[in-house]
């Protein structure tokens, strides 16, 4: 009986802390990234035309494909690109950079700890 209690407490604890991290990542993403990136591809042509950065849905599709759905590699890329963006590193179509310009480095507006949570959230959400 005791054993069952301890096991279910451990599972509950793990579930809660896992969920908390995801929520934190989601909130940080909304606060730090959605000023430019919408979460999903907009459904109207007007909204498509007023985008100022590629929607995260599309960004993550390219990131996941480029790293063959390797979560660790995707997280490393997102973290590096967000702080040190460059044309050479960009995975998205060159047309995207022509249209939106290169992403400005987010150094100073996001900490590496926050970025860890954001990148982790993105690889789970998309
Ligand atoms: C000031 C606007 C702006 C903000 C804020 C912003 N981005 Fe971007 N981001 C862009 C633009 C524009 C592009 C497309 C051009 C490029 O790839 O550099 C982009 C592209 C990207 C890419 C794809 C890079 C590639 O081409 O392969 C990733 C990944 C990314 N952003 C992550 C983030 C994350 C994570 C955050 C929040 C911490 C964030 N961005 C905040 C403007 C922004």
């Amino acid at each position: 009986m005791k054993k069952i209690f301890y096991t279910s407490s451990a599972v509950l604890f793990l579930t809660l802390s896992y969920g908390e991290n995801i929520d934190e990542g989601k909130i940080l993403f909304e606060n730090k990234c959605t000023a430019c990136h919408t979460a999903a591809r907009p459904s109207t042509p007007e909204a498509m035309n007023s985008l100022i950065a590629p929607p995260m849905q599309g960004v993550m599709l390219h990131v996941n494909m480029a790293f063959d759905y390797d979560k660790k590699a995707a997280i490393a890329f997102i973290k590096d690109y967000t702080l040190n963006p460059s044309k050479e590193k960009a995975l998205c179509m060159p047309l995207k950079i022509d249209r939106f310009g290169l992403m400005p480095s987010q150094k100073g507006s996001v900490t590496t700890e926050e970025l860890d949570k954001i990148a982790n959230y993105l690889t789970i959400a998309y």
Side-chain angles (χ1 to χ4, degrees), residues 77 81 86-93 97 102:
F77 173 80
Y81 197 88
S86 78
K87 229 175 175 161
E88 291 70 38
K89 285 184 211 162
L91 299 172
C92 70
M93 299 290 167
I97 294 186
L102 194 68

Side-chain angles (χ1 to χ4, degrees), residues 9-24:
S9 310
V11 169
L12 183 66
F13 174 74
L14 285 175
T15 314
L16 288 177
S17 27
Y18 184 73
E20 211 168 83
N21 259 334
I22 308 261
D23 288 350
E24 249 191 285

Side-chain angles (χ1 to χ4, degrees), residues 75-100:
I75 290 175
F77 173 80
I78 296 166
K79 285 169 64 180
D80 175 57
Y81 197 88
T82 305
L83 299 178
N84 308 295
S86 78
K87 229 175 175 161
E88 291 70 38
K89 285 184 211 162
L91 299 172
C92 70
M93 299 290 167
L95 269 177
K96 292 260 163 63
I97 294 186
D98 290 347
R99 175 177 169 194
F100 298 117

Side-chain angles (χ1 to χ4, degrees), residues 1-44:
M1 195 59 193
K2 243 185 188 167
K3 212 174 184 179
I4 294 173
F5 174 75
Y6 285 129
T7 313
S8 47
S9 310
V11 169
L12 183 66
F13 174 74
L14 285 175
T15 314
L16 288 177
S17 27
Y18 184 73
E20 211 168 83
N21 259 334
I22 308 261
D23 288 350
E24 249 191 285
K26 184 174 197 275
I27 292 164
L28 284 165
F29 166 67
E30 281 160 5
N31 288 341
K32 309 271 178 175
C33 315
T34 57
C36 297
H37 295 278
T38 57
R41 198 169 179 274
S43 53
T44 64

